[in-house]
Amino acid sequence: MCGSELHALPEGVQRVAQALQDASHPHVPVMLDGAARTAQEAADGLGVQLGQIAKSVIFKRKEDGVAVLVVTSGDRRVDEKKVSALVGKIGRADADFVKAQTGFTIGGVSPVAHLKPPVTLLDQDLWRFDEVWAAAGHPHGVFRLQPEDLKRLTGAPLADVAQVASEAADAPDSTKVRA
């Protein structure tokens, strides 16, 4: 990429593309024809397994209002108790908080290029796959990477942050929307 291609992309995707380029990441963001606001929409649009979508879920840490980003496999639900045990009590983040902290709207939150660096945890379940896809700063934007790239790009630790499969099947799905 020489840089001129970035100007045709939405602002959030431009930030992600620049961050990926700065980190020498081999894959640039691509824009899907249809929206990928949910992990299922992204998987369908890409023709990959639901679990290969690295969905970004933003929480708000209660003690200091810092954003907490959990990047989890698209076929898993975040276990808020596990996350709280690692970073302190968390609560749900509304759309205004997500936009103010990350610079992205819900449905397009990338794991990189946030306006304010969040506390980040990576779901160890993503390592089941050789290749995953993450949001690239817009509901239509995604980029390809390997789970190990997530570690390199975010500097975040791997953690057990997903519900066990039987709990996830029984629980109401409040993480359908990919942040």
Side-chain angles (χ1 to χ4, degrees), residues 18-148:
Q18 189 63 57
L20 295 174
Q21 185 176 356
D22 292 348
S24 299
H25 185 69
H27 304 289
V28 298
V30 296
M31 299 298 286
L32 300 176
D33 290 333
R37 292 183 190 279
T38 67
Q40 188 64 62
E41 287 176 347
D44 291 347
L46 291 163
V48 299
Q49 294 177 49
L50 180 59
Q52 287 180 269
I53 303 304
K55 66 181 176 183
S56 296
V57 183
I58 299 286
F59 296 95
K60 184 176 185 178
R61 188 162 55 190
K62 290 185 176 182
E63 72 184 49
D64 57 8
V66 168
V68 175
L69 166 65
V70 179
V71 183
T72 188
S73 190
D75 61 352
R76 300 290 194 253
R77 288 183 39 83
V78 174
D79 186 321
E80 293 180 39
K81 289 179 183 176
K82 289 180 179 180
V83 174
S84 290
L86 295 169
V87 302
K89 289 206 178 279
I90 57 168
R92 296 283 175 180
D94 65 20
D96 291 337
F97 177 82
V98 171
K99 179 73 173 180
Q101 296 294 308
T102 69
F104 307 121
T105 56
I106 290 175
V109 175
S110 173
V112 299
H114 290 228
L115 292 179
K116 299 175 185 173
V119 172
T120 304
L121 298 172
L122 303 176
D123 175 14
Q124 64 190 18
D125 286 343
L126 284 164
W127 270 251
R128 295 176 290 154
F129 302 99
D130 293 330
E131 178 181 275
V132 295
W133 290 81
H138 185 275
H140 290 255
V142 294
F143 68 98
R144 182 173 45 161
L145 68 166
Q146 295 176 333
E148 202 57 37

